[in-house]
Amino acid sequence: MVELKTDTSIEAMYEAGQVVGRALTAVQKAADVGVSLLELDEVARGVLREAGASSPFLGYRPSFAGTPFPAVICASVNDAIVHGIPTGYRLRDGDLVSIDCGAQLGGWAGDSAISFTVGRPRPADVRLIETAEQALAAGIAAAVVGNRMGDIAHAIGTVCRGGGYGIMDDFGGHGIGRRMHEDPPVPNEGRPGRGLALRHGMVLAIEPMLIAGGTDEYHAAPDGWTLKTNDGSRAAHTEHTVAITDAGPRVLTAR
């Protein structure tokens, strides 16, 4: 069931979203050659702690996971697409890093992700990240009252495929509210004019995930969480929590 949020609830979700935005900004600022992924997780924990927020990631265990998630961020490097577990791995010059973070504040959740490079960027990585951001922007622009879910999916997929990139078949965005994952699912590819009608009060986490090699295949790493490209190519992940309102889409996790 899709819960429509009141305007008051959307304001509360904005507060949670701003905590997420501050955490991601702090993590990106701290990310440098030689810094470990565990250290970046500690940076995000500090921002959540200062805000009096908790993490919807920490201890999260969906049906596919053999163990609960042990961190407050997902840190996915190079050929890792999403759900990377922070480890002692130290960032290297030229790494492509995707960070996903959530916050729970006042009973409401926020969820957002960014991709960036460390040190000297590869031109191909810059293009990949820019395309991911363009796909996210296209999805947000389509998140308007009167459109359908397929319009968001089509907007995202058109940008991704137009750039020559692959898209994960079984993963995409989701509804969000009192819980991090709610109905409805938000695909990253689809047909315009199809699917659920978008209404004022829906809040969605819109999140393109792009595979540089152009194929859609991926696999789970031995840790049971990290999803990696089959061809070893790099990946990018961007995400915002977005409220659909009569005045247009409102990004609640804007940084």
Side-chain angles (χ1 to χ4, degrees):
M1 183 179 73
V2 177
E3 177 192 6
L4 298 179
K5 278 68 176 180
T6 66
D7 292 347
T8 300
S9 297
I10 290 173
E11 289 300 327
M13 291 190 70
Y14 174 80
E15 296 302 321
Q18 291 306 289
V19 176
V20 178
R22 291 197 298 272
L24 287 174
T25 298
V27 167
Q28 183 173 5
K29 184 177 180 180
D32 203 353
V33 174
V35 175
S36 76
L37 301 181
L38 283 172
E39 288 171 332
L40 296 183
D41 188 66
E42 285 298 324
V43 169
R45 287 176 189 252
V47 174
L48 296 183
R49 188 164 50 245
E50 182 179 351
S54 61
S55 170
F57 288 20
L58 185 63
Y60 180 60
R61 187 178 181 181
S63 58
F64 67 79
T67 58
F69 196 77
V72 304
I73 62 170
C74 296
S76 306
V77 181
N78 296 332
D79 64 337
I81 310 166
V82 289
H83 302 165
I85 295 176
T87 65
Y89 174 85
R90 294 192 177 277
L91 295 172
R92 301 171 183 173
D93 185 49
D95 276 347
L96 194 166
V97 183
S98 297
I99 302 292
D100 194 353
C101 184
Q104 198 90 25
L105 183 68
W108 297 98
D111 189 10
S112 185
I114 54 173
S115 289
F116 55 86
T117 56
V118 175
R120 291 167 294 182
R122 301 181 181 184
D125 290 344
V126 172
R127 178 175 174 268
L128 175 65
I129 293 169
E130 287 177 346
T131 305
E133 292 172 345
Q134 291 165 6
L136 176 59
I140 293 171
V144 297
V145 173
N147 270 0
R148 292 184 174 271
M149 191 65 71
D151 295 306
I152 296 177
H154 179 71
I156 294 170
T158 297
V159 174
C160 295
R161 297 298 189 193
Y165 300 119
I167 300 171
M168 299 174 72
D169 284 336
D170 304 324
F171 285 84
H174 49 88
I176 183 170
R178 294 195 178 276
R179 293 176 291 111
M180 179 171 60
H181 290 139
E182 297 184 350
D183 287 332
V186 184
N188 284 330
E189 193 168 32
R191 298 176 63 182
R194 300 295 184 91
L196 184 70
L198 305 181
R199 299 172 58 189
H200 178 90
M202 285 183 180
V203 182
L204 309 175
I206 300 173
E207 50 179 322
M209 307 164 195
L210 282 64
I211 297 174
T215 67
D216 299 348
E217 287 76 32
Y218 62 92
H219 64 276
D223 63 22
W225 275 99
T226 309
L227 300 180
K228 307 185 77 172
T229 64
N230 275 7
D231 61 6
S233 66
R234 296 189 169 198
H237 175 209
T238 56
E239 177 183 17
H240 271 310
T241 296
V242 181
I244 298 173
T245 77
D246 290 329
R250 182 183 179 189
V251 178
L252 305 182
T253 47
R255 295 179 289 277

mmCIF file of all heavy atoms in Angstrom, residues 96-98 113-116 124-140 155-157 159-161 163 165-166 188 206-212 235-240 255:
data_model
loop_
_atom_site.group_PDB
_atom_site.id
_atom_site.type_symbol
_atom_site.label_atom_id
_atom_site.label_comp_id
_atom_site.label_asym_id
_atom_site.label_seq_id
_atom_site.Cartn_x
_atom_site.Cartn_y
_atom_site.Cartn_z
ATOM 1 N N LEU A 96 36.753 5.419 -8.081
ATOM 2 C CA LEU A 96 35.384 5.922 -8.214
ATOM 3 C C LEU A 96 34.602 5.390 -7.010
ATOM 4 O O LEU A 96 34.527 4.178 -6.807
ATOM 5 C CB LEU A 96 34.754 5.458 -9.528
ATOM 6 C CG LEU A 96 33.459 6.140 -9.977
ATOM 7 C CD1 LEU A 96 33.169 5.814 -11.446
ATOM 8 C CD2 LEU A 96 32.244 5.757 -9.140
ATOM 9 N N VAL A 97 34.033 6.292 -6.241
ATOM 10 C CA VAL A 97 33.378 5.921 -4.986
ATOM 11 C C VAL A 97 31.903 6.317 -5.026
ATOM 12 O O VAL A 97 31.565 7.451 -5.393
ATOM 13 C CB VAL A 97 34.060 6.629 -3.788
ATOM 14 C CG1 VAL A 97 33.429 6.178 -2.472
ATOM 15 C CG2 VAL A 97 35.552 6.368 -3.789
ATOM 16 N N SER A 98 31.034 5.384 -4.642
ATOM 17 C CA SER A 98 29.609 5.683 -4.471
ATOM 18 C C SER A 98 29.265 5.495 -3.000
ATOM 19 O O SER A 98 29.555 4.442 -2.422
ATOM 20 C CB SER A 98 28.746 4.759 -5.336
ATOM 21 O OG SER A 98 29.004 4.962 -6.714
ATOM 22 N N ALA A 113 22.244 9.199 -2.233
ATOM 23 C CA ALA A 113 23.538 8.641 -2.624
ATOM 24 C C ALA A 113 24.243 9.577 -3.601
ATOM 25 O O ALA A 113 23.606 10.308 -4.366
ATOM 26 C CB ALA A 113 23.353 7.266 -3.276
ATOM 27 N N ILE A 114 25.570 9.517 -3.544
ATOM 28 C CA ILE A 114 26.404 10.300 -4.456
ATOM 29 C C ILE A 114 27.539 9.425 -4.980
ATOM 30 O O ILE A 114 27.936 8.455 -4.337
ATOM 31 C CB ILE A 114 27.020 11.554 -3.774
ATOM 32 C CG1 ILE A 114 27.772 11.150 -2.496
ATOM 33 C CG2 ILE A 114 25.956 12.590 -3.493
ATOM 34 C CD1 ILE A 114 28.538 12.292 -1.863
ATOM 35 N N SER A 115 28.053 9.782 -6.144
ATOM 36 C CA SER A 115 29.254 9.160 -6.684
ATOM 37 C C SER A 115 30.266 10.258 -6.989
ATOM 38 O O SER A 115 29.904 11.348 -7.445
ATOM 39 C CB SER A 115 28.941 8.377 -7.963
ATOM 40 O OG SER A 115 28.206 7.203 -7.675
ATOM 41 N N PHE A 116 31.550 9.959 -6.740
ATOM 42 C CA PHE A 116 32.611 10.930 -6.976
ATOM 43 C C PHE A 116 33.930 10.175 -7.163
ATOM 44 O O PHE A 116 34.018 8.975 -6.877
ATOM 45 C CB PHE A 116 32.720 11.929 -5.822
ATOM 46 C CG PHE A 116 32.902 11.291 -4.464
ATOM 47 C CD1 PHE A 116 34.158 10.943 -3.993
ATOM 48 C CD2 PHE A 116 31.805 11.029 -3.660
ATOM 49 C CE1 PHE A 116 34.322 10.352 -2.753
ATOM 50 C CE2 PHE A 116 31.952 10.433 -2.409
ATOM 51 C CZ PHE A 116 33.227 10.096 -1.961
ATOM 52 N N ALA A 124 36.527 8.891 -18.397
ATOM 53 C CA ALA A 124 35.379 7.995 -18.529
ATOM 54 C C ALA A 124 34.547 7.977 -17.255
ATOM 55 O O ALA A 124 33.314 7.863 -17.310
ATOM 56 C CB ALA A 124 35.852 6.584 -18.870
ATOM 57 N N ASP A 125 35.201 8.094 -16.101
ATOM 58 C CA ASP A 125 34.471 8.115 -14.835
ATOM 59 C C ASP A 125 33.690 9.414 -14.672
ATOM 60 O O ASP A 125 32.573 9.419 -14.153
ATOM 61 C CB ASP A 125 35.434 7.945 -13.658
ATOM 62 C CG ASP A 125 36.019 6.545 -13.589
ATOM 63 O OD1 ASP A 125 35.478 5.636 -14.244
ATOM 64 O OD2 ASP A 125 37.026 6.369 -12.869
ATOM 65 N N VAL A 126 34.294 10.513 -15.102
ATOM 66 C CA VAL A 126 33.607 11.806 -15.034
ATOM 67 C C VAL A 126 32.322 11.755 -15.862
ATOM 68 O O VAL A 126 31.252 12.192 -15.414
ATOM 69 C CB VAL A 126 34.526 12.939 -15.532
ATOM 70 C CG1 VAL A 126 33.752 14.247 -15.644
ATOM 71 C CG2 VAL A 126 35.716 13.107 -14.588
ATOM 72 N N ARG A 127 32.428 11.205 -17.058
ATOM 73 C CA ARG A 127 31.251 11.103 -17.931
ATOM 74 C C ARG A 127 30.197 10.190 -17.309
ATOM 75 O O ARG A 127 28.991 10.482 -17.359
ATOM 76 C CB ARG A 127 31.667 10.583 -19.308
ATOM 77 C CG ARG A 127 30.503 10.396 -20.270
ATOM 78 C CD ARG A 127 30.986 9.994 -21.659
ATOM 79 N NE ARG A 127 29.859 9.676 -22.523
ATOM 80 C CZ ARG A 127 29.346 8.460 -22.685
ATOM 81 N NH1 ARG A 127 29.863 7.431 -22.015
ATOM 82 N NH2 ARG A 127 28.314 8.250 -23.477
ATOM 83 N N LEU A 128 30.629 9.067 -16.729
ATOM 84 C CA LEU A 128 29.697 8.135 -16.100
ATOM 85 C C LEU A 128 28.937 8.809 -14.961
ATOM 86 O O LEU A 128 27.701 8.692 -14.869
ATOM 87 C CB LEU A 128 30.477 6.930 -15.571
ATOM 88 C CG LEU A 128 29.699 5.894 -14.760
ATOM 89 C CD1 LEU A 128 28.653 5.205 -15.634
ATOM 90 C CD2 LEU A 128 30.657 4.870 -14.161
ATOM 91 N N ILE A 129 29.656 9.518 -14.103
ATOM 92 C CA ILE A 129 29.012 10.191 -12.964
ATOM 93 C C ILE A 129 28.077 11.294 -13.448
ATOM 94 O O ILE A 129 26.960 11.448 -12.936
ATOM 95 C CB ILE A 129 30.084 10.744 -12.008
ATOM 96 C CG1 ILE A 129 30.849 9.596 -11.344
ATOM 97 C CG2 ILE A 129 29.446 11.639 -10.943
ATOM 98 C CD1 ILE A 129 32.082 10.037 -10.585
ATOM 99 N N GLU A 130 28.526 12.062 -14.428
ATOM 100 C CA GLU A 130 27.670 13.132 -14.967
ATOM 101 C C GLU A 130 26.386 12.555 -15.552
ATOM 102 O O GLU A 130 25.300 13.130 -15.373
ATOM 103 C CB GLU A 130 28.428 13.924 -16.029
ATOM 104 C CG GLU A 130 29.513 14.829 -15.458
ATOM 105 C CD GLU A 130 30.287 15.549 -16.543
ATOM 106 O OE1 GLU A 130 30.172 15.162 -17.734
ATOM 107 O OE2 GLU A 130 31.021 16.504 -16.209
ATOM 108 N N THR A 131 26.485 11.424 -16.226
ATOM 109 C CA THR A 131 25.294 10.802 -16.805
ATOM 110 C C THR A 131 24.367 10.298 -15.708
ATOM 111 O O THR A 131 23.134 10.427 -15.814
ATOM 112 C CB THR A 131 25.679 9.658 -17.748
ATOM 113 O OG1 THR A 131 26.588 10.141 -18.740
ATOM 114 C CG2 THR A 131 24.451 9.074 -18.432
ATOM 115 N N ALA A 132 24.926 9.732 -14.639
ATOM 116 C CA ALA A 132 24.104 9.296 -13.510
ATOM 117 C C ALA A 132 23.350 10.471 -12.901
ATOM 118 O O ALA A 132 22.160 10.357 -12.567
ATOM 119 C CB ALA A 132 24.976 8.618 -12.459
ATOM 120 N N GLU A 133 24.024 11.600 -12.767
ATOM 121 C CA GLU A 133 23.366 12.782 -12.209
ATOM 122 C C GLU A 133 22.290 13.312 -13.157
ATOM 123 O O GLU A 133 21.223 13.760 -12.714
ATOM 124 C CB GLU A 133 24.413 13.853 -11.926
ATOM 125 C CG GLU A 133 25.363 13.471 -10.786
ATOM 126 C CD GLU A 133 26.520 14.436 -10.613
ATOM 127 O OE1 GLU A 133 26.762 15.247 -11.543
ATOM 128 O OE2 GLU A 133 27.183 14.375 -9.564
ATOM 129 N N GLN A 134 22.555 13.248 -14.459
ATOM 130 C CA GLN A 134 21.554 13.668 -15.440
ATOM 131 C C GLN A 134 20.339 12.744 -15.405
ATOM 132 O O GLN A 134 19.197 13.198 -15.533
ATOM 133 C CB GLN A 134 22.171 13.687 -16.830
ATOM 134 C CG GLN A 134 23.203 14.779 -17.033
ATOM 135 C CD GLN A 134 24.064 14.568 -18.268
ATOM 136 O OE1 GLN A 134 23.831 13.648 -19.057
ATOM 137 N NE2 GLN A 134 25.070 15.406 -18.444
ATOM 138 N N ALA A 135 20.590 11.451 -15.227
ATOM 139 C CA ALA A 135 19.483 10.494 -15.144
ATOM 140 C C ALA A 135 18.635 10.756 -13.916
ATOM 141 O O ALA A 135 17.395 10.702 -13.961
ATOM 142 C CB ALA A 135 20.029 9.064 -15.127
ATOM 143 N N LEU A 136 19.292 11.057 -12.799
ATOM 144 C CA LEU A 136 18.557 11.391 -11.580
ATOM 145 C C LEU A 136 17.726 12.653 -11.784
ATOM 146 O O LEU A 136 16.545 12.701 -11.412
ATOM 147 C CB LEU A 136 19.536 11.580 -10.424
ATOM 148 C CG LEU A 136 18.946 12.025 -9.086
ATOM 149 C CD1 LEU A 136 17.905 11.033 -8.579
ATOM 150 C CD2 LEU A 136 20.057 12.222 -8.050
ATOM 151 N N ALA A 137 18.334 13.671 -12.388
ATOM 152 C CA ALA A 137 17.606 14.918 -12.637
ATOM 153 C C ALA A 137 16.405 14.687 -13.551
ATOM 154 O O ALA A 137 15.328 15.267 -13.346
ATOM 155 C CB ALA A 137 18.544 15.953 -13.254
ATOM 156 N N ALA A 138 16.560 13.829 -14.549
ATOM 157 C CA ALA A 138 15.453 13.525 -15.463
ATOM 158 C C ALA A 138 14.335 12.808 -14.729
ATOM 159 O O ALA A 138 13.141 13.087 -14.946
ATOM 160 C CB ALA A 138 15.950 12.684 -16.632
ATOM 161 N N GLY A 139 14.698 11.865 -13.857
ATOM 162 C CA GLY A 139 13.686 11.165 -13.076
ATOM 163 C C GLY A 139 12.929 12.093 -12.156
ATOM 164 O O GLY A 139 11.697 12.000 -12.027
ATOM 165 N N ILE A 140 13.656 13.006 -11.516
ATOM 166 C CA ILE A 140 13.008 13.970 -10.623
ATOM 167 C C ILE A 140 12.066 14.878 -11.409
ATOM 168 O O ILE A 140 10.946 15.161 -10.970
ATOM 169 C CB ILE A 140 14.070 14.796 -9.877
ATOM 170 C CG1 ILE A 140 14.848 13.894 -8.902
ATOM 171 C CG2 ILE A 140 13.433 15.966 -9.125
ATOM 172 C CD1 ILE A 140 16.062 14.566 -8.282
ATOM 173 N N ALA A 155 12.221 8.199 -18.146
ATOM 174 C CA ALA A 155 13.142 9.336 -18.159
ATOM 175 C C ALA A 155 14.544 8.899 -17.728
ATOM 176 O O ALA A 155 15.548 9.272 -18.347
ATOM 177 C CB ALA A 155 12.620 10.436 -17.235
ATOM 178 N N ILE A 156 14.612 8.092 -16.668
ATOM 179 C CA ILE A 156 15.903 7.604 -16.188
ATOM 180 C C ILE A 156 16.550 6.695 -17.226
ATOM 181 O O ILE A 156 17.720 6.860 -17.586
ATOM 182 C CB ILE A 156 15.734 6.858 -14.857
ATOM 183 C CG1 ILE A 156 15.284 7.824 -13.750
ATOM 184 C CG2 ILE A 156 17.038 6.158 -14.452
ATOM 185 C CD1 ILE A 156 14.868 7.131 -12.463
ATOM 186 N N GLY A 157 15.787 5.722 -17.703
ATOM 187 C CA GLY A 157 16.325 4.755 -18.644
ATOM 188 C C GLY A 157 16.794 5.368 -19.941
ATOM 189 O O GLY A 157 17.808 4.939 -20.513
ATOM 190 N N VAL A 159 18.116 8.326 -20.418
ATOM 191 C CA VAL A 159 19.431 8.951 -20.217
ATOM 192 C C VAL A 159 20.519 7.884 -20.087
ATOM 193 O O VAL A 159 21.593 7.987 -20.697
ATOM 194 C CB VAL A 159 19.411 9.869 -18.981
ATOM 195 C CG1 VAL A 159 20.814 10.403 -18.687
ATOM 196 C CG2 VAL A 159 18.449 11.028 -19.180
ATOM 197 N N CYS A 160 20.238 6.860 -19.303
ATOM 198 C CA CYS A 160 21.241 5.805 -19.085
ATOM 199 C C CYS A 160 21.580 5.085 -20.381
ATOM 200 O O CYS A 160 22.753 4.938 -20.744
ATOM 201 C CB CYS A 160 20.739 4.806 -18.055
ATOM 202 S SG CYS A 160 20.503 5.473 -16.393
ATOM 203 N N ARG A 161 20.557 4.609 -21.071
ATOM 204 C CA ARG A 161 20.798 3.881 -22.319
ATOM 205 C C ARG A 161 21.392 4.795 -23.382
ATOM 206 O O ARG A 161 22.236 4.373 -24.181
ATOM 207 C CB ARG A 161 19.502 3.270 -22.827
ATOM 208 C CG ARG A 161 18.879 2.224 -21.914
ATOM 209 C CD ARG A 161 19.773 1.019 -21.710
ATOM 210 N NE ARG A 161 19.059 -0.050 -21.000
ATOM 211 C CZ ARG A 161 19.651 -1.122 -20.473
ATOM 212 N NH1 ARG A 161 20.963 -1.261 -20.558
ATOM 213 N NH2 ARG A 161 18.939 -2.041 -19.847
ATOM 214 N N GLY A 163 23.476 7.036 -22.950
ATOM 215 C CA GLY A 163 24.899 7.172 -22.688
ATOM 216 C C GLY A 163 25.682 5.897 -22.950
ATOM 217 O O GLY A 163 26.909 5.879 -22.815
ATOM 218 N N TYR A 165 25.156 3.013 -21.243
ATOM 219 C CA TYR A 165 25.405 2.331 -19.981
ATOM 220 C C TYR A 165 24.375 1.245 -19.686
ATOM 221 O O TYR A 165 23.239 1.287 -20.163
ATOM 222 C CB TYR A 165 25.414 3.339 -18.835
ATOM 223 C CG TYR A 165 26.484 4.386 -18.997
ATOM 224 C CD1 TYR A 165 26.154 5.736 -19.105
ATOM 225 C CD2 TYR A 165 27.828 4.025 -19.050
ATOM 226 C CE1 TYR A 165 27.137 6.704 -19.265
ATOM 227 C CE2 TYR A 165 28.814 4.986 -19.216
ATOM 228 C CZ TYR A 165 28.471 6.327 -19.320
ATOM 229 O OH TYR A 165 29.448 7.274 -19.485
ATOM 230 N N GLY A 166 24.786 0.287 -18.861
ATOM 231 C CA GLY A 166 23.890 -0.763 -18.414
ATOM 232 C C GLY A 166 23.094 -0.331 -17.198
ATOM 233 O O GLY A 166 23.457 0.621 -16.497
ATOM 234 N N ASN A 188 14.156 1.800 -12.869
ATOM 235 C CA ASN A 188 15.065 2.687 -13.596
ATOM 236 C C ASN A 188 14.932 2.560 -15.107
ATOM 237 O O ASN A 188 15.723 3.116 -15.859
ATOM 238 C CB ASN A 188 16.507 2.417 -13.172
ATOM 239 C CG ASN A 188 16.819 3.006 -11.811
ATOM 240 O OD1 ASN A 188 16.253 4.019 -11.424
ATOM 241 N ND2 ASN A 188 17.711 2.365 -11.079
ATOM 242 N N ILE A 206 14.459 8.085 -5.563
ATOM 243 C CA ILE A 206 14.755 7.857 -6.972
ATOM 244 C C ILE A 206 16.258 7.643 -7.089
ATOM 245 O O ILE A 206 17.037 8.490 -6.654
ATOM 246 C CB ILE A 206 14.292 9.052 -7.824
ATOM 247 C CG1 ILE A 206 12.772 9.252 -7.666
ATOM 248 C CG2 ILE A 206 14.667 8.867 -9.290
ATOM 249 C CD1 ILE A 206 12.243 10.502 -8.344
ATOM 250 N N GLU A 207 16.689 6.492 -7.684
ATOM 251 C CA GLU A 207 18.121 6.190 -7.642
ATOM 252 C C GLU A 207 18.627 5.412 -8.856
ATOM 253 O O GLU A 207 18.619 4.186 -8.868
ATOM 254 C CB GLU A 207 18.486 5.454 -6.359
ATOM 255 C CG GLU A 207 17.635 4.257 -5.999
ATOM 256 C CD GLU A 207 18.117 3.593 -4.711
ATOM 257 O OE1 GLU A 207 19.328 3.507 -4.466
ATOM 258 O OE2 GLU A 207 17.251 3.155 -3.934
ATOM 259 N N PRO A 208 19.115 6.141 -9.858
ATOM 260 C CA PRO A 208 19.761 5.470 -10.991
ATOM 261 C C PRO A 208 21.053 4.763 -10.563
ATOM 262 O O PRO A 208 21.791 5.254 -9.712
ATOM 263 C CB PRO A 208 20.077 6.622 -11.953
ATOM 264 C CG PRO A 208 19.229 7.758 -11.500
ATOM 265 C CD PRO A 208 19.047 7.589 -10.033
ATOM 266 N N MET A 209 21.304 3.597 -11.164
ATOM 267 C CA MET A 209 22.533 2.831 -10.955
ATOM 268 C C MET A 209 23.051 2.453 -12.330
ATOM 269 O O MET A 209 22.393 1.700 -13.053
ATOM 270 C CB MET A 209 22.239 1.581 -10.126
ATOM 271 C CG MET A 209 21.515 1.852 -8.824
ATOM 272 S SD MET A 209 20.799 0.329 -8.151
ATOM 273 C CE MET A 209 19.677 1.014 -6.920
ATOM 274 N N LEU A 210 24.212 2.944 -12.710
ATOM 275 C CA LEU A 210 24.721 2.794 -14.068
ATOM 276 C C LEU A 210 25.951 1.894 -14.093
ATOM 277 O O LEU A 210 26.833 2.020 -13.240
ATOM 278 C CB LEU A 210 25.097 4.152 -14.664
ATOM 279 C CG LEU A 210 23.972 5.047 -15.192
ATOM 280 C CD1 LEU A 210 23.026 5.482 -14.075
ATOM 281 C CD2 LEU A 210 24.558 6.273 -15.870
ATOM 282 N N ILE A 211 26.006 1.013 -15.088
ATOM 283 C CA ILE A 211 27.148 0.123 -15.298
ATOM 284 C C ILE A 211 27.887 0.591 -16.550
ATOM 285 O O ILE A 211 27.318 0.622 -17.646
ATOM 286 C CB ILE A 211 26.687 -1.331 -15.457
ATOM 287 C CG1 ILE A 211 25.997 -1.807 -14.173
ATOM 288 C CG2 ILE A 211 27.870 -2.239 -15.802
ATOM 289 C CD1 ILE A 211 25.364 -3.190 -14.281
ATOM 290 N N ALA A 212 29.161 0.945 -16.396
ATOM 291 C CA ALA A 212 29.903 1.580 -17.484
ATOM 292 C C ALA A 212 30.059 0.685 -18.697
ATOM 293 O O ALA A 212 30.079 1.167 -19.832
ATOM 294 C CB ALA A 212 31.277 2.030 -16.989
ATOM 295 N N ALA A 235 31.022 1.543 -11.950
ATOM 296 C CA ALA A 235 29.594 1.844 -11.795
ATOM 297 C C ALA A 235 29.419 3.147 -11.027
ATOM 298 O O ALA A 235 30.322 3.590 -10.303
ATOM 299 C CB ALA A 235 28.903 0.697 -11.066
ATOM 300 N N ALA A 236 28.257 3.751 -11.189
ATOM 301 C CA ALA A 236 27.910 4.974 -10.464
ATOM 302 C C ALA A 236 26.482 4.870 -9.951
ATOM 303 O O ALA A 236 25.631 4.224 -10.567
ATOM 304 C CB ALA A 236 28.063 6.203 -11.368
ATOM 305 N N HIS A 237 26.232 5.518 -8.820
ATOM 306 C CA HIS A 237 24.932 5.451 -8.150
ATOM 307 C C HIS A 237 24.610 6.832 -7.590
ATOM 308 O O HIS A 237 25.405 7.417 -6.859
ATOM 309 C CB HIS A 237 25.023 4.416 -7.015
ATOM 310 C CG HIS A 237 23.814 4.311 -6.151
ATOM 311 N ND1 HIS A 237 23.870 3.936 -4.827
ATOM 312 C CD2 HIS A 237 22.500 4.537 -6.410
ATOM 313 C CE1 HIS A 237 22.666 3.913 -4.306
ATOM 314 N NE2 HIS A 237 21.818 4.279 -5.258
ATOM 315 N N THR A 238 23.463 7.363 -7.965
ATOM 316 C CA THR A 238 23.000 8.636 -7.420
ATOM 317 C C THR A 238 21.570 8.463 -6.925
ATOM 318 O O THR A 238 20.814 7.650 -7.441
ATOM 319 C CB THR A 238 23.040 9.751 -8.488
ATOM 320 O OG1 THR A 238 22.273 9.352 -9.623
ATOM 321 C CG2 THR A 238 24.465 10.042 -8.922
ATOM 322 N N GLU A 239 21.190 9.263 -5.923
ATOM 323 C CA GLU A 239 19.856 9.084 -5.325
ATOM 324 C C GLU A 239 19.448 10.337 -4.567
ATOM 325 O O GLU A 239 20.276 10.993 -3.929
ATOM 326 C CB GLU A 239 19.882 7.892 -4.365
ATOM 327 C CG GLU A 239 18.569 7.641 -3.631
ATOM 328 C CD GLU A 239 18.671 6.493 -2.631
ATOM 329 O OE1 GLU A 239 19.816 6.121 -2.268
ATOM 330 O OE2 GLU A 239 17.626 5.981 -2.213
ATOM 331 N N HIS A 240 18.162 10.649 -4.626
ATOM 332 C CA HIS A 240 17.549 11.679 -3.780
ATOM 333 C C HIS A 240 16.193 11.178 -3.293
ATOM 334 O O HIS A 240 15.515 10.394 -3.979
ATOM 335 C CB HIS A 240 17.334 12.984 -4.537
ATOM 336 C CG HIS A 240 18.498 13.929 -4.481
ATOM 337 N ND1 HIS A 240 19.126 14.283 -3.298
ATOM 338 C CD2 HIS A 240 19.142 14.615 -5.466
ATOM 339 C CE1 HIS A 240 20.098 15.135 -3.554
ATOM 340 N NE2 HIS A 240 20.141 15.354 -4.863
ATOM 341 N N ARG A 255 21.598 18.823 -1.217
ATOM 342 C CA ARG A 255 22.820 19.171 -0.502
ATOM 343 C C ARG A 255 23.224 20.592 -0.857
ATOM 344 O O ARG A 255 23.208 20.981 -2.004
ATOM 345 C CB ARG A 255 23.952 18.197 -0.886
ATOM 346 C CG ARG A 255 23.655 16.769 -0.434
ATOM 347 C CD ARG A 255 24.746 15.813 -0.833
ATOM 348 N NE ARG A 255 24.773 15.552 -2.264
ATOM 349 C CZ ARG A 255 24.003 14.660 -2.871
ATOM 350 N NH1 ARG A 255 23.122 13.961 -2.177
ATOM 351 N NH2 ARG A 255 24.078 14.477 -4.163
#
